[in-house]
Structure formats: C-alpha cells, structure tokens
Amino acid sequence: MAKSKASEFSDQDARIARYAKALGHPARVAILRLLMSRETCYCGDIVEELPIAQATVSQHLKELKDAGLIQGEINPPKVRYCIHPENLREAKLLFADLLCVESDKACGCQSNKETCC
C-alpha cells in the first residue's frame, strides 16, 4: 500500500497548520485576544464585546477549542472559556520558529533569532 503524501508532513507542521487554521478568521483572532485579556469569559460576554451574533461566536469558540487554543468549563447552563496556556505557549513557539527561520533566509537579517523576532 502506498504511503500518503499527507503522512510525510512532520507532526510539528501539522500542529502549526491546526493553529493557523483556527486563527484564520478575524473573529477568532478577536475572541482569542479578548480571552487573553481576561481570566475567564462566558459566550454571552463575548457577544456583548464583539459585533458577532451568539450563534457565530459559538461556532468560532468551537474552532478555537478544537484546535486546543482555548478550553471550556461547563457550568450549566453556561460554558466558561479561557485560554489553554500550554497550547498557546506551544503555538507561539511554533510560529516564532517558523517565521523567524524563514524570515532570516528571505530578508537576510542576522541569524540570531532574538535580532529577527
């Protein structure tokens, strides 16, 4: 049986892609920023803060949660959301590694990542 090309991608590349997909909509970026500014937040709080309908907020929260960037705690009838600190830290490191290495090659900046980033 032939090996699929998708299985040839590294686990690191798959994790970067998962996080990038979750951040691929401005509403999800705004939700993530809002959650990063607070300890916890209910869906209704997000609806009040952002110009997005409740059903749409719920869909975006699901995408962020499926990617592992946020987590939810069920307090019937509500779910309280917050950042998933370990996964957010991993996403930051993965994106920094990807973008700094590539920008070093593309722009000719010094190879010291602290200088680049």
Side-chain angles (χ1 to χ4, degrees):
M1 182 173 204
K3 191 175 183 181
S4 76
K5 289 189 177 221
S7 66
E8 294 177 17
F9 295 114
S10 73
D11 182 51
Q12 182 176 348
D13 287 347
R15 291 192 321 267
I16 291 171
R18 183 182 73 201
Y19 293 137
K21 180 182 177 196
L23 296 172
H25 192 286
R28 291 194 285 269
V29 173
I31 290 169
L32 194 64
R33 285 185 191 277
L34 181 63
L35 291 175
M36 288 169 50
S37 72
R38 301 178 178 189
E39 250 182 71
T40 63
C41 201
Y42 291 99
C43 182
D45 299 330
I46 297 168
V47 171
E48 288 178 17
E49 292 281 330
L50 300 175
I52 310 168
Q54 190 276 329
T56 306
V57 168
S58 293
Q59 289 175 324
H60 289 307
L61 287 167
K62 181 184 180 326
E63 288 291 327
L64 291 167
K65 189 173 179 191
D66 288 348
L69 292 171
I70 66 171
Q71 52 195 359
E73 179 182 300
I74 299 172
N75 292 331
K78 298 179 178 182
V79 179
R80 183 172 49 197
Y81 293 94
C82 64
I83 295 297
H84 190 298
E86 292 139 13
N87 290 350
L88 185 62
R89 193 171 12 263
E90 177 190 50
K92 286 172 153 179
L93 292 171
L94 289 170
F95 281 117
D97 184 54
L98 170 71
L99 297 175
C100 287
V101 169
E102 292 304 315
S103 65
D104 285 350
K105 293 175 186 174
C107 71
C109 63
Q110 297 184 19
S111 60
N112 181 349
K113 287 185 181 183
E114 291 178 335
T115 303
C116 181
C117 299

Short mmCIF file of all heavy atoms in Angstrom, two decimals, residues 22-23 26-47 49-50 57-58 60-66 68-73 79-85 88:
data_model
loop_
_atom_site.label_atom_id
_atom_site.label_comp_id
_atom_site.label_asym_id
_atom_site.label_seq_id
_atom_site.Cartn_x
_atom_site.Cartn_y
_atom_site.Cartn_z
N ALA A 22 -7.16 27.66 12.89
CA ALA A 22 -8.01 28.23 13.95
C ALA A 22 -7.90 29.75 13.99
O ALA A 22 -8.87 30.43 14.33
CB ALA A 22 -7.63 27.64 15.30
N LEU A 23 -6.77 30.28 13.63
CA LEU A 23 -6.56 31.74 13.65
C LEU A 23 -6.84 32.38 12.29
O LEU A 23 -6.58 33.56 12.10
CB LEU A 23 -5.12 32.04 14.08
CG LEU A 23 -4.80 31.61 15.51
CD1 LEU A 23 -3.31 31.78 15.79
CD2 LEU A 23 -5.63 32.37 16.51
N PRO A 26 -10.70 36.63 11.30
CA PRO A 26 -10.51 37.78 12.20
C PRO A 26 -11.35 37.70 13.48
O PRO A 26 -10.90 38.16 14.54
CB PRO A 26 -10.91 38.99 11.36
CG PRO A 26 -11.00 38.53 9.97
CD PRO A 26 -11.10 37.04 9.96
N ALA A 27 -12.52 37.11 13.40
CA ALA A 27 -13.36 36.99 14.61
C ALA A 27 -12.70 36.09 15.64
O ALA A 27 -12.73 36.37 16.84
CB ALA A 27 -14.74 36.45 14.24
N ARG A 28 -12.05 35.01 15.17
CA ARG A 28 -11.39 34.11 16.12
C ARG A 28 -10.17 34.77 16.73
O ARG A 28 -9.87 34.56 17.91
CB ARG A 28 -11.05 32.79 15.43
CG ARG A 28 -12.30 31.99 15.10
CD ARG A 28 -12.01 30.55 14.75
NE ARG A 28 -11.45 30.35 13.43
CZ ARG A 28 -12.16 30.13 12.34
NH1 ARG A 28 -13.48 30.10 12.38
NH2 ARG A 28 -11.58 29.93 11.18
N VAL A 29 -9.48 35.58 15.96
CA VAL A 29 -8.34 36.33 16.50
C VAL A 29 -8.85 37.30 17.57
O VAL A 29 -8.27 37.41 18.66
CB VAL A 29 -7.58 37.08 15.38
CG1 VAL A 29 -6.52 37.99 15.97
CG2 VAL A 29 -6.97 36.09 14.40
N ALA A 30 -9.96 37.98 17.29
CA ALA A 30 -10.53 38.93 18.26
C ALA A 30 -10.98 38.21 19.53
O ALA A 30 -10.76 38.69 20.64
CB ALA A 30 -11.69 39.68 17.63
N ILE A 31 -11.59 37.04 19.36
CA ILE A 31 -12.02 36.25 20.53
C ILE A 31 -10.81 35.82 21.35
O ILE A 31 -10.81 35.92 22.58
CB ILE A 31 -12.86 35.04 20.08
CG1 ILE A 31 -14.21 35.50 19.54
CG2 ILE A 31 -13.04 34.04 21.23
CD1 ILE A 31 -15.01 34.42 18.82
N LEU A 32 -9.77 35.37 20.68
CA LEU A 32 -8.56 34.95 21.39
C LEU A 32 -7.95 36.12 22.15
O LEU A 32 -7.58 35.98 23.31
CB LEU A 32 -7.56 34.35 20.40
CG LEU A 32 -6.41 33.57 21.01
CD1 LEU A 32 -6.91 32.34 21.75
CD2 LEU A 32 -5.44 33.16 19.93
N ARG A 33 -7.89 37.29 21.52
CA ARG A 33 -7.37 38.49 22.20
C ARG A 33 -8.20 38.81 23.44
O ARG A 33 -7.66 39.14 24.50
CB ARG A 33 -7.35 39.68 21.26
CG ARG A 33 -6.25 39.67 20.23
CD ARG A 33 -6.27 40.99 19.45
NE ARG A 33 -5.43 40.94 18.30
CZ ARG A 33 -4.11 41.16 18.31
NH1 ARG A 33 -3.50 41.42 19.44
NH2 ARG A 33 -3.41 41.10 17.20
N LEU A 34 -9.51 38.73 23.29
CA LEU A 34 -10.40 39.02 24.41
C LEU A 34 -10.16 38.04 25.55
O LEU A 34 -10.03 38.44 26.72
CB LEU A 34 -11.86 38.97 23.95
CG LEU A 34 -12.91 39.26 25.01
CD1 LEU A 34 -12.78 40.69 25.53
CD2 LEU A 34 -14.30 39.05 24.43
N LEU A 35 -10.06 36.76 25.23
CA LEU A 35 -9.82 35.76 26.27
C LEU A 35 -8.44 35.92 26.91
O LEU A 35 -8.27 35.64 28.09
CB LEU A 35 -9.99 34.35 25.70
CG LEU A 35 -11.42 33.95 25.33
CD1 LEU A 35 -11.43 32.58 24.67
CD2 LEU A 35 -12.32 33.97 26.55
N MET A 36 -7.47 36.38 26.14
CA MET A 36 -6.14 36.60 26.70
C MET A 36 -6.13 37.77 27.67
O MET A 36 -5.26 37.83 28.55
CB MET A 36 -5.12 36.82 25.56
CG MET A 36 -4.83 35.54 24.81
SD MET A 36 -3.89 35.74 23.26
CE MET A 36 -2.52 36.73 23.74
N SER A 37 -7.09 38.67 27.55
CA SER A 37 -7.13 39.84 28.43
C SER A 37 -7.91 39.58 29.72
O SER A 37 -7.97 40.43 30.59
CB SER A 37 -7.75 41.04 27.69
OG SER A 37 -9.15 40.85 27.51
N ARG A 38 -8.52 38.39 29.82
CA ARG A 38 -9.33 38.04 30.99
C ARG A 38 -8.96 36.65 31.48
O ARG A 38 -8.47 35.83 30.72
CB ARG A 38 -10.81 38.04 30.62
CG ARG A 38 -11.29 39.36 30.12
CD ARG A 38 -12.73 39.27 29.75
NE ARG A 38 -13.21 40.57 29.29
CZ ARG A 38 -14.47 40.83 29.06
NH1 ARG A 38 -15.37 39.89 29.24
NH2 ARG A 38 -14.83 42.02 28.66
N GLU A 39 -9.30 36.38 32.73
CA GLU A 39 -9.07 35.03 33.25
C GLU A 39 -10.02 34.04 32.63
O GLU A 39 -9.63 32.96 32.20
CB GLU A 39 -9.24 35.02 34.77
CG GLU A 39 -7.92 34.83 35.49
CD GLU A 39 -8.12 34.78 36.98
OE1 GLU A 39 -8.67 33.78 37.47
OE2 GLU A 39 -7.70 35.74 37.63
N THR A 40 -11.31 34.38 32.61
CA THR A 40 -12.32 33.53 32.00
C THR A 40 -13.39 34.42 31.37
O THR A 40 -13.45 35.62 31.65
CB THR A 40 -13.03 32.61 33.03
OG1 THR A 40 -13.71 33.41 33.98
CG2 THR A 40 -12.05 31.69 33.72
N CYS A 41 -14.23 33.81 30.54
CA CYS A 41 -15.25 34.57 29.84
C CYS A 41 -16.35 33.63 29.39
O CYS A 41 -16.08 32.52 28.93
CB CYS A 41 -14.61 35.22 28.62
SG CYS A 41 -15.48 36.62 27.96
N TYR A 42 -17.60 34.06 29.53
CA TYR A 42 -18.74 33.30 29.03
C TYR A 42 -19.04 33.74 27.60
O TYR A 42 -18.71 34.86 27.20
CB TYR A 42 -19.98 33.52 29.90
CG TYR A 42 -19.86 32.88 31.27
CD1 TYR A 42 -19.49 33.65 32.37
CD2 TYR A 42 -20.08 31.53 31.45
CE1 TYR A 42 -19.37 33.07 33.63
CE2 TYR A 42 -19.96 30.94 32.70
CZ TYR A 42 -19.61 31.72 33.78
OH TYR A 42 -19.48 31.13 35.02
N CYS A 43 -19.69 32.87 26.86
CA CYS A 43 -20.05 33.18 25.47
C CYS A 43 -20.83 34.49 25.40
O CYS A 43 -20.58 35.33 24.53
CB CYS A 43 -20.85 32.03 24.88
SG CYS A 43 -21.31 32.26 23.16
N GLY A 44 -21.77 34.69 26.31
CA GLY A 44 -22.57 35.92 26.33
C GLY A 44 -21.73 37.16 26.50
O GLY A 44 -22.03 38.22 25.93
N ASP A 45 -20.65 37.05 27.28
CA ASP A 45 -19.73 38.19 27.47
C ASP A 45 -19.05 38.55 26.15
O ASP A 45 -18.87 39.72 25.83
CB ASP A 45 -18.66 37.86 28.51
CG ASP A 45 -19.23 37.55 29.89
OD1 ASP A 45 -20.31 38.10 30.22
OD2 ASP A 45 -18.60 36.76 30.61
N ILE A 46 -18.69 37.53 25.39
CA ILE A 46 -18.03 37.75 24.11
C ILE A 46 -19.00 38.41 23.13
O ILE A 46 -18.63 39.34 22.41
CB ILE A 46 -17.47 36.42 23.55
CG1 ILE A 46 -16.40 35.87 24.49
CG2 ILE A 46 -16.92 36.60 22.14
CD1 ILE A 46 -15.98 34.44 24.22
N VAL A 47 -20.24 37.95 23.14
CA VAL A 47 -21.27 38.53 22.27
C VAL A 47 -21.46 40.01 22.58
O VAL A 47 -21.62 40.83 21.67
CB VAL A 47 -22.60 37.76 22.40
CG1 VAL A 47 -23.73 38.47 21.66
CG2 VAL A 47 -22.44 36.33 21.88
N GLU A 49 -19.17 42.03 23.78
CA GLU A 49 -17.94 42.77 23.46
C GLU A 49 -17.69 42.91 21.96
O GLU A 49 -17.11 43.90 21.53
CB GLU A 49 -16.73 42.08 24.09
CG GLU A 49 -16.70 42.13 25.59
CD GLU A 49 -16.21 43.46 26.12
OE1 GLU A 49 -15.39 44.13 25.46
OE2 GLU A 49 -16.66 43.83 27.22
N LEU A 50 -18.07 41.90 21.20
CA LEU A 50 -17.74 41.87 19.78
C LEU A 50 -19.00 41.96 18.92
O LEU A 50 -20.06 41.50 19.34
CB LEU A 50 -16.97 40.59 19.44
CG LEU A 50 -15.66 40.37 20.19
CD1 LEU A 50 -15.08 39.02 19.86
CD2 LEU A 50 -14.66 41.47 19.90
N VAL A 57 -20.49 33.33 17.33
CA VAL A 57 -19.48 33.26 18.40
C VAL A 57 -19.30 31.81 18.83
O VAL A 57 -18.17 31.33 18.98
CB VAL A 57 -19.86 34.15 19.60
CG1 VAL A 57 -18.99 33.85 20.81
CG2 VAL A 57 -19.75 35.62 19.24
N SER A 58 -20.39 31.09 19.00
CA SER A 58 -20.32 29.69 19.41
C SER A 58 -19.54 28.85 18.40
O SER A 58 -18.72 28.00 18.78
CB SER A 58 -21.71 29.10 19.58
OG SER A 58 -22.37 29.71 20.67
N HIS A 60 -17.18 29.94 16.34
CA HIS A 60 -15.78 30.33 16.43
C HIS A 60 -15.13 29.75 17.69
O HIS A 60 -13.98 29.30 17.64
CB HIS A 60 -15.62 31.84 16.39
CG HIS A 60 -15.92 32.43 15.04
ND1 HIS A 60 -15.30 32.00 13.88
CD2 HIS A 60 -16.75 33.44 14.67
CE1 HIS A 60 -15.75 32.71 12.85
NE2 HIS A 60 -16.63 33.58 13.31
N LEU A 61 -15.86 29.74 18.79
CA LEU A 61 -15.33 29.15 20.02
C LEU A 61 -15.06 27.66 19.82
O LEU A 61 -14.05 27.15 20.29
CB LEU A 61 -16.32 29.35 21.18
CG LEU A 61 -16.40 30.78 21.73
CD1 LEU A 61 -17.61 30.92 22.64
CD2 LEU A 61 -15.12 31.16 22.46
N LYS A 62 -15.94 26.99 19.10
CA LYS A 62 -15.73 25.56 18.82
C LYS A 62 -14.45 25.34 18.02
O LYS A 62 -13.67 24.44 18.32
CB LYS A 62 -16.94 24.99 18.07
CG LYS A 62 -16.80 23.50 17.77
CD LYS A 62 -17.97 22.99 16.95
CE LYS A 62 -17.90 21.52 16.62
NZ LYS A 62 -16.62 20.92 16.39
N GLU A 63 -14.21 26.17 17.01
CA GLU A 63 -12.98 26.04 16.21
C GLU A 63 -11.74 26.25 17.07
O GLU A 63 -10.76 25.51 16.95
CB GLU A 63 -12.99 27.05 15.05
CG GLU A 63 -13.96 26.72 13.95
CD GLU A 63 -13.57 25.48 13.16
OE1 GLU A 63 -12.37 25.22 12.98
OE2 GLU A 63 -14.49 24.77 12.73
N LEU A 64 -11.77 27.28 17.91
CA LEU A 64 -10.62 27.56 18.78
C LEU A 64 -10.41 26.43 19.79
O LEU A 64 -9.27 26.05 20.07
CB LEU A 64 -10.81 28.90 19.50
CG LEU A 64 -10.73 30.14 18.63
CD1 LEU A 64 -11.24 31.36 19.37
CD2 LEU A 64 -9.29 30.37 18.14
N LYS A 65 -11.50 25.89 20.30
CA LYS A 65 -11.40 24.79 21.26
C LYS A 65 -10.91 23.52 20.57
O LYS A 65 -10.05 22.81 21.11
CB LYS A 65 -12.76 24.56 21.93
CG LYS A 65 -12.67 23.60 23.08
CD LYS A 65 -13.98 23.51 23.83
CE LYS A 65 -13.80 22.51 24.97
NZ LYS A 65 -15.04 22.15 25.60
N ASP A 66 -11.43 23.22 19.39
CA ASP A 66 -10.98 22.03 18.64
C ASP A 66 -9.49 22.09 18.34
O ASP A 66 -8.81 21.06 18.32
CB ASP A 66 -11.77 21.86 17.34
CG ASP A 66 -13.21 21.42 17.57
OD1 ASP A 66 -13.56 21.02 18.71
OD2 ASP A 66 -14.00 21.47 16.61
N GLY A 68 -7.39 23.48 20.27
CA GLY A 68 -6.68 23.40 21.54
C GLY A 68 -6.19 24.73 22.07
O GLY A 68 -5.47 24.77 23.07
N LEU A 69 -6.55 25.83 21.43
CA LEU A 69 -6.09 27.14 21.89
C LEU A 69 -6.87 27.65 23.09
O LEU A 69 -6.35 28.46 23.87
CB LEU A 69 -6.15 28.17 20.76
CG LEU A 69 -5.16 27.92 19.63
CD1 LEU A 69 -5.44 28.84 18.46
CD2 LEU A 69 -3.72 28.11 20.13
N ILE A 70 -8.11 27.19 23.25
CA ILE A 70 -8.91 27.56 24.41
C ILE A 70 -9.49 26.30 25.02
O ILE A 70 -9.49 25.24 24.41
CB ILE A 70 -10.03 28.57 24.06
CG1 ILE A 70 -11.08 27.94 23.14
CG2 ILE A 70 -9.45 29.83 23.46
CD1 ILE A 70 -12.32 28.80 22.93
N GLN A 71 -10.00 26.45 26.23
CA GLN A 71 -10.67 25.35 26.90
C GLN A 71 -11.94 25.88 27.54
O GLN A 71 -12.05 27.08 27.79
CB GLN A 71 -9.76 24.68 27.92
CG GLN A 71 -9.11 25.62 28.90
CD GLN A 71 -7.96 24.97 29.65
OE1 GLN A 71 -7.64 23.81 29.45
NE2 GLN A 71 -7.33 25.72 30.52
N GLY A 72 -12.89 25.00 27.78
CA GLY A 72 -14.15 25.40 28.36
C GLY A 72 -14.50 24.58 29.57
O GLY A 72 -14.20 23.39 29.62
N GLU A 73 -15.12 25.22 30.53
CA GLU A 73 -15.58 24.56 31.74
C GLU A 73 -17.09 24.70 31.79
O GLU A 73 -17.61 25.83 31.75
CB GLU A 73 -14.94 25.22 32.96
CG GLU A 73 -15.36 24.63 34.28
CD GLU A 73 -14.71 25.36 35.44
OE1 GLU A 73 -13.47 25.37 35.51
OE2 GLU A 73 -15.45 25.93 36.25
N VAL A 79 -21.11 27.80 29.51
CA VAL A 79 -19.74 27.30 29.42
C VAL A 79 -18.82 28.50 29.58
O VAL A 79 -18.97 29.50 28.90
CB VAL A 79 -19.47 26.59 28.07
CG1 VAL A 79 -18.03 26.11 28.01
CG2 VAL A 79 -20.43 25.44 27.86
N ARG A 80 -17.88 28.37 30.50
CA ARG A 80 -16.91 29.43 30.74
C ARG A 80 -15.64 29.06 29.97
O ARG A 80 -15.11 27.97 30.11
CB ARG A 80 -16.63 29.55 32.24
CG ARG A 80 -15.69 30.67 32.58
CD ARG A 80 -15.57 30.88 34.06
NE ARG A 80 -15.33 29.62 34.75
CZ ARG A 80 -15.51 29.46 36.06
NH1 ARG A 80 -15.93 30.46 36.79
NH2 ARG A 80 -15.26 28.31 36.62
N TYR A 81 -15.15 29.99 29.16
CA TYR A 81 -13.98 29.74 28.32
C TYR A 81 -12.76 30.48 28.85
O TYR A 81 -12.88 31.55 29.46
CB TYR A 81 -14.25 30.20 26.88
CG TYR A 81 -15.30 29.37 26.20
CD1 TYR A 81 -16.63 29.76 26.20
CD2 TYR A 81 -14.96 28.17 25.59
CE1 TYR A 81 -17.61 28.99 25.58
CE2 TYR A 81 -15.94 27.39 24.98
CZ TYR A 81 -17.25 27.81 24.97
OH TYR A 81 -18.20 27.04 24.38
N CYS A 82 -11.60 29.91 28.59
CA CYS A 82 -10.34 30.57 28.91
C CYS A 82 -9.27 30.04 27.96
O CYS A 82 -9.46 29.05 27.25
CB CYS A 82 -9.94 30.33 30.36
SG CYS A 82 -9.61 28.61 30.78
N ILE A 83 -8.16 30.70 27.96
CA ILE A 83 -7.00 30.29 27.16
C ILE A 83 -6.48 28.95 27.66
O ILE A 83 -6.48 28.69 28.86
CB ILE A 83 -5.88 31.36 27.28
CG1 ILE A 83 -6.33 32.68 26.66
CG2 ILE A 83 -4.57 30.89 26.69
CD1 ILE A 83 -6.62 32.63 25.20
N HIS A 84 -6.02 28.11 26.76
CA HIS A 84 -5.31 26.87 27.14
C HIS A 84 -3.82 27.26 27.16
O HIS A 84 -3.19 27.33 26.10
CB HIS A 84 -5.58 25.76 26.13
CG HIS A 84 -5.10 24.43 26.58
ND1 HIS A 84 -3.79 24.15 26.83
CD2 HIS A 84 -5.79 23.29 26.85
CE1 HIS A 84 -3.67 22.90 27.21
NE2 HIS A 84 -4.88 22.36 27.23
N PRO A 85 -3.27 27.55 28.33
CA PRO A 85 -1.93 28.15 28.40
C PRO A 85 -0.82 27.32 27.75
O PRO A 85 0.04 27.87 27.07
CB PRO A 85 -1.68 28.35 29.89
CG PRO A 85 -2.70 27.53 30.59
CD PRO A 85 -3.84 27.31 29.65
N LEU A 88 -1.27 27.45 23.91
CA LEU A 88 -0.98 28.78 23.40
C LEU A 88 0.54 29.04 23.39
O LEU A 88 1.08 29.57 22.44
CB LEU A 88 -1.69 29.86 24.22
CG LEU A 88 -1.53 31.28 23.69
CD1 LEU A 88 -2.13 31.42 22.30
CD2 LEU A 88 -2.15 32.27 24.65
#
